[in-house]
Structure formats: C-alpha cells, structure tokens
Amino acid sequence: MYFLGRESSESEIGPENVDTGKRLSRSALWPGNRPRPFFTLRIAGGDGFTVRGFKLNIPTLEDMTDSEAILWAANKCAAGVRWKASVQRFEIDKLRWAAGIQRETESLTFKGKGFVRFDLVERGKLRHIMAVHISERVVQKLLSQKVLRPVIEPRLVYYNTASQTGKGTELALKGHVEHLRWHFARYGRRGGILTMDLHDYFGSVPHKPLIDKFCCLLRDERLHYFVGFFINSFDGDTGIGLGSEISQDGAIFYPSDIDKMIQCRLGVHCYGRYNDDSYIIHPDIKYLERCRELIAEKYREHGIAMNPKKTVIRPLTDGWTFLKKRVYLKDTGKIVLRLTYDNIRAERRRIAHMRGEYDARRITDSSILQSYQAWRSYAGKYNSYRVIGEMDRYFAEKMKGVHFGL
C-alpha cells in the first residue's frame, strides 16, 4: 500500500480508511500536535489511487513508448521553433525519427546527442544555457509530461508555482497578495516578511539525491534508466543545467519536503515559492529569525546554500521586492504592486535601441509598436499609472518622425 509515494503499513493508515474515502486523522499523517490540513485517501484500482482529489496514475515505460504520445511530444517540441533548420530537418523525416525513438526507448538503449552550450544575459545576470537536440527533447518531454509530472505535481504545495500548467508568476503574485490580505485581516501590519533566495540554485542541486527522490515515486524500474541518464548527463555530481525540461521538474520537486516542513511543522500559513525565490509572512519577527535558521540548515542538508544578501527579514511597514515587483502594504490594508526601477530602465533602453534599429532599416514600425504595446499591457496589471504616462511621453519623443501604419 502506498501513500504519497512511500510504502505504508495498514496499522499506520488504518484499514477503516481504505477504499472508503474517509478523511484520516491529523495524527495519522503528520508528527506533532499542531493543526494539519486534512488529506483524503482513496485506494483505486490497479492503475493508481486518489489523494486530495488527484488521480495518481502509476506511470510505466509504455506511457513513453506509445506512438501517439511520441508524435504528440514531437509536435509540442516543434511548436514555436519551426524556423530552426534542425527542427525543419526533424519534421521532414518525423515518422522515421519517431520510430527510432520508440525503438530506443523500448530497448533502453537511448543515447543523447550532447548539449549546445551558450550564454545569455538576463536582466544583467549571466546565465549558462545547455540546450539539447530536438530528438532528445522529445524523450525528455515524454519523461516529464507522461511520467514525472503526474506523480510529482500532486505532492507539491499549492503555491509552489514555477513551471506548471495553469500556474506561473501571475499565480505566485496573486498568492502573495492573498497572503498579505489574510495576514492584515488578523494582525494588521504587525510582524514582518522573510524573503529567501538560494545561491546558484540550479548549479547546486546534487544528482544522486534528486535521482533517488524521482525513482522512489516510479514503481516501473525501467524508467529509472531515463531519470539517471538525463540528470547524470550534466557535468559533475551537482548541477542541473538551464534549458532542459527535466531540470525544471527537479527544481520544483527537490526541495518540496522543505516546503511541507515550513507549512506543517513550522505552522506557517503565508508561504510561497517560485523556484529559488520564496517568502514567509508572520506576525512575530523573532519567529521569522528562528525560521530562517532552521530553513538554512535544512537547505544545507540538501546541498544548497542560501544567499545571505537576499535572504532578509523586513517589517511589513517597509516595502520589499518579490519576483521583480516592489510590494507595499499600506496602513489602510491596500496592497500596492509596482514595477521595479530596473524594469523601467530596461524598457527605456529598449525603446532607444528600437529607434536605432528602425533608422538602420532592420526593424519595421509595426514591430516597434507591437513590442511597446506588449510592455504597456504588462505594466498595466500593476499600480503603474504614472509610470505608463511618463513612458508614453518618452516613447513619443524617441519615435518622432515614425508614422505607425500611416
């Protein structure tokens, strides 16, 4: 009998709760006597079981080798990048590639083509990207979407919002606002917020513990080959490179036990995480300091170090930054989200750059207008009315002489 990926005895779960859908007692699921959220356990048929309303199917290798699934993954990988020559060559001979992928996955002889390595500078930060050939991306997508995601997503806390369908930065910010409203309704602006950041998160994840955490969820041992192959393809014993889908799966799942510790053992209600950025809101500053020590120790056990410069405690009367947004909680309870100065400065530079590209006839006026309208719509989601007005004036000044669509 399995509960949340681990084997459990009937004495622990209780035979009266099996096959009935009854709610388990808090003490049967969590240590300690603090209030815990209820979970619903129903043992289903031979193909899976249900936890918290999620049907947890037990994936097998056949989920990866199904011909329709391979073609689905191939189309997903090609979407949006069909202008690349490598993708065009792949799609011309897609059926032969699909047959080869199916044969190699069934026989557990699949081998990758290595990485294409390049660097990107994102918001002033250098990032090392390790991209793979589309044929290897197809197998990774099969492993991620057909095998790993169905078993790891129901085991994540709700406000672990990165790299999941239906979530993202919008839900992370929405959850942040909801937590602030919940806190203000009970404590006002008393207390503070602990914002946490991990140092070189993707480059610090150790391979073996991550492989073990994935494999303990997969009862078909043939799938362990692919998990180990893709994770160990990165150099060394630590680090999962940016650009691979399995890296995103590892990033959201590897510290998930820390997320549960924060919510359940530390009794924190207002907690959220987006990859390596997370926060805790609590009415007691001293308790936040204790939480910081315990969480840092737990991350060290996982081989990950916290960034001391960005892991700070601030009173709720001050402003703070979360996901590149400045957040303020007013004394009336109003929550203000504004763009950071870095975002505003980057847009001004982009406008000046686009004017230079237009004068050199390397970009059209419609592309400039489309780019600026996209930023304007993005900024309009936040409390940036004056910023948008000032940027409109700057845009009109820089684009004098450009007749958009006229």
Side-chain angles (χ1 to χ4, degrees):
M1 189 180 304
Y2 285 78
F3 177 71
L4 291 182
R6 63 180 178 85
E7 192 170 359
S8 306
S9 63
E10 282 202 3
S11 61
E12 179 182 359
I13 296 181
E16 69 278 3
N17 294 313
V18 178
D19 294 319
T20 63
K22 292 182 180 179
R23 286 182 168 182
L24 302 179
S25 66
R26 293 183 174 106
S27 60
L29 294 177
W30 305 105
N33 56 3
R34 298 187 65 85
R36 301 291 181 258
F38 279 121
F39 287 78
T40 302
L41 171 64
R42 293 189 297 276
I43 303 300
D47 61 339
F49 52 90
T50 303
V51 175
R52 286 192 299 175
F54 288 94
K55 177 65 178 299
L56 300 187
N57 294 319
I58 301 175
T60 63
L61 182 64
E62 285 67 30
D63 294 321
M64 290 182 61
T65 59
D66 179 70
S67 57
E68 291 186 2
I70 294 174
L71 291 176
W72 169 85
N75 289 330
K76 283 288 187 180
C77 291
V81 290
R82 286 189 169 92
W83 53 271
K84 293 184 178 180
S86 60
V87 177
Q88 293 172 5
R89 289 193 295 268
F90 175 84
E91 291 218 298
I92 288 174
D93 213 2
K94 184 192 302 184
L95 293 179
R96 185 179 68 83
W97 277 104
I101 290 172
Q102 185 180 45
R103 183 172 58 253
E104 291 177 357
T105 51
E106 286 178 339
S107 60
L108 304 182
T109 58
F110 175 80
K111 298 295 180 184
K113 297 179 178 294
F115 293 105
V116 178
R117 303 169 187 264
F118 57 94
D119 296 335
L120 287 178
V121 178
E122 182 185 17
R123 296 188 294 270
K125 188 173 183 179
L126 180 64
R127 301 189 182 276
H128 304 287
I129 308 299
M130 303 171 67
V132 296
H133 188 265
I134 186 171
S135 60
E136 187 172 345
R137 282 201 292 128
V138 170
V139 182
Q140 280 205 27
K141 185 166 286 293
L142 287 168
L143 178 65
S144 173
Q145 299 296 327
K146 300 298 183 181
V147 174
L148 294 179
R149 289 303 178 99
V151 296
I152 68 175
E153 286 189 352
R155 293 172 169 86
L156 304 177
V157 299
Y158 182 71
Y159 283 116
N160 179 355
T161 54
S163 307
Q164 299 169 68
T165 303
K167 295 189 178 183
T169 56
E170 290 292 325
L171 180 63
L173 290 169
K174 179 181 177 181
H176 193 58
V177 170
E178 289 298 323
H179 284 153
L180 286 171
R181 288 173 178 164
W182 185 93
H183 181 94
F184 185 84
R186 290 158 179 79
Y187 310 106
R189 293 204 294 174
R190 180 161 58 91
I193 179 170
L194 167 62
T195 55
M196 296 172 283
D197 184 82
L198 305 179
H199 175 70
D200 191 20
Y201 178 44
F202 280 82
S204 302
V205 176
H207 292 178
K208 189 177 185 307
L210 178 59
I211 293 172
D212 292 342
K213 291 192 72 171
F214 277 144
C215 291
C216 75
L217 304 179
L218 305 176
R219 296 170 64 178
D220 189 342
E221 294 185 357
R222 295 174 296 175
L223 296 170
H224 299 181
Y225 167 79
F226 296 97
V227 174
F229 170 77
F230 284 119
I231 295 178
N232 286 326
S233 62
F234 299 108
D235 299 336
D237 297 327
T238 60
I240 49 179
L242 297 174
S244 296
E245 196 159 358
I246 197 170
S247 299
Q248 302 294 332
D249 296 339
I252 62 175
F253 181 64
Y254 181 62
S256 59
D257 56 330
I258 300 179
D259 299 336
K260 295 172 185 176
M261 180 201 75
I262 293 171
Q263 287 195 336
C264 299
R265 293 186 60 186
L266 299 182
V268 174
H269 176 83
C270 302
Y271 170 74
R273 180 169 73 88
Y274 187 91
N275 273 338
D276 59 338
D277 294 319
S278 55
Y279 65 88
I280 294 175
I281 303 171
H282 198 272
D284 189 349
I285 296 290
K286 291 184 178 180
Y287 188 74
L288 288 176
E289 294 173 353
R290 178 59 178 160
C291 288
R292 178 170 57 183
E293 296 174 1
L294 293 174
I295 295 169
E297 180 182 353
K298 195 69 175 178
Y299 270 116
R300 280 194 296 269
E301 294 175 4
H302 285 64
I304 300 173
M306 300 184 75
N307 189 332
K309 293 183 179 180
K310 296 183 179 180
T311 302
V312 294
I313 298 174
R314 292 184 176 87
L316 292 177
T317 53
D318 298 343
W320 62 90
T321 301
F322 180 64
L323 294 182
K324 308 299 179 183
K325 307 295 180 296
R326 289 295 297 172
V327 185
Y328 301 91
L329 178 60
K330 302 295 185 179
D331 54 2
T332 59
K334 180 180 180 180
I335 301 167
V336 177
L337 274 71
R338 292 177 179 154
L339 300 179
T340 61
Y341 179 71
D342 290 341
N343 181 280
I344 298 170
R345 182 172 57 184
E347 181 60 21
R348 291 172 68 92
R349 289 178 177 175
R350 188 179 299 112
I351 291 172
H353 175 73
M354 287 191 297
R355 180 56 200 251
E357 293 291 293
Y358 176 80
D359 293 338
R361 299 184 181 276
R362 289 192 291 264
I363 190 173
T364 62
D365 56 349
S366 60
S367 297
I368 295 174
L369 189 61
Q370 184 180 22
S371 174
Y372 181 66
Q373 286 177 339
W375 178 88
R376 212 172 176 280
S377 299
Y378 165 76
K381 297 178 181 179
Y382 310 104
N383 303 89
S384 304
Y385 176 79
R386 293 183 180 178
V387 170
I388 293 174
E390 293 174 1
M391 194 66 71
D392 285 345
R393 289 189 288 273
Y394 181 79
F395 181 80
E397 179 184 348
K398 282 292 182 180
M399 296 300 168
K400 283 183 179 178
V402 180
H403 304 285
F404 295 102
L406 299 178

